[in-house]
Amino acid sequence: MTFSEQIWYGLFKPSKYKELIELRAGRSVLFVTVVVLVLGLVTYVMPTAAIIAGVGGLDKLFSETMAPITYDGENFTIEEPFKMAADGTIILLDSTYYTVPDKELNLDATYIAVGSKNLRLSTVIGGEIWMDSIVPLEQVINPGFSNESLVGLIPAIYVSLFLCYLIMSLLFFLKYGFYALILSILYNSMNKQLELGLSYGQVYMICFYGMSLGMLITNFNIAMGLISPMLVSMVTVFVSIHFMTNAMVSMRKDNQV
């Protein structure tokens, strides 16, 4: 079986799951890896790339769009306050304050807020400030820091974005891997009742295969903002359960032939 066939069967053909779970373990690991990387691509890379393209690229953003900035070792200065939102994170530069105050953190997001003296890192959830940290700028940047310095940091920024993508993909693996673990406990009981003789690992992969299409649809919808996430999640849960149950039942029929 080719990997493209494995992807197709895993997403759309629960009647083929018996063939899929008989593949060597490395193929199962490869499938899981590709799915979580695609999830990270859809939910993080695509929106981030759209934002960067929307401002004409980081080079243009730092050298043309953003007002001139300077740091003399004591005070950070920007001629006009700058604010940019990117995938739940808000970057705010405002040198009219020593430290950007609570009143400027008025949306639920993670803030990277730079005042004339301090860098503030805060997360706002439900209008309440959590994980609030204030760091003197002298500990973060060097005297002479300017727009040109930001342009020079662009390669490092892209490396950081790539690492964030990998972390996001890992979080998807932990999230959906846990869901598959819970479901595999339930479906292992079905495995025993139907006397299918499957190992626990095979049951686990049936659950992961069954969830895969729902994972992709749910997160693509969230990233694109197309339909109510709650409605889509409910529909995909039923689809996933149908796929898993159908796969187990089809294996029982195969055993009876």
Side-chain angles (χ1 to χ4, degrees), residues 39 42-43 172 176 214-224:
L39 289 174
V42 169
T43 60
F172 275 122
Y176 289 110
M215 296 181 212
L216 294 171
I217 292 175
T218 297
N219 288 282
F220 181 82
N221 176 68
I222 292 173
M224 297 296 104

Side-chain angles (χ1 to χ4, degrees), residues 88-91 99-102 104-105 107-114 119-125 128-135:
T89 299
I90 295 178
I91 300 172
T99 303
V100 176
D102 293 358
E104 298 292 344
L105 314 182
L107 297 173
D108 285 4
T110 296
Y111 283 84
I112 303 173
V114 180
L119 167 67
R120 185 173 187 180
L121 304 173
S122 304
T123 299
V124 179
I125 303 174
E128 297 291 330
I129 297 176
W130 301 79
M131 297 182 290
D132 195 22
S133 177
I134 297 175
V135 181

Side-chain angles (χ1 to χ4, degrees), residues 149-175:
S149 302
L150 284 173
V151 172
L153 288 173
I154 288 176
I157 292 173
Y158 280 122
V159 170
S160 299
L161 292 174
F162 179 72
L163 292 176
C164 288
Y165 162 58
L166 294 181
I167 292 171
M168 180 70 73
S169 298
L170 176 61
L171 292 176
F172 275 122
F173 168 73
L174 295 175
K175 175 182 177 179

Side-chain angles (χ1 to χ4, degrees), residues 49-61:
I51 291 169
I52 293 174
V55 298
L58 294 181
D59 193 314
K60 181 179 179 181
L61 173 66

Side-chain angles (χ1 to χ4, degrees), residues 219-239:
N219 288 282
F220 181 82
N221 176 68
I222 292 173
M224 297 296 104
L226 302 176
I227 309 173
S228 167
M230 181 69 70
L231 175 61
V232 173
S233 294
M234 290 175 61
V235 171
T236 55
V237 165
F238 284 113
V239 170

Side-chain angles (χ1 to χ4, degrees), residues 78-113:
I78 182 167
E79 293 185 3
E80 296 178 2
F82 174 81
K83 186 176 185 179
M84 185 176 77
D87 195 30
T89 299
I90 295 178
I91 300 172
L92 178 59
L93 311 178
D94 192 340
S95 58
T96 59
Y97 304 106
Y98 284 166
T99 303
V100 176
D102 293 358
K103 67 178 182 179
E104 298 292 344
L105 314 182
N106 50 17
L107 297 173
D108 285 4
T110 296
Y111 283 84
I112 303 173

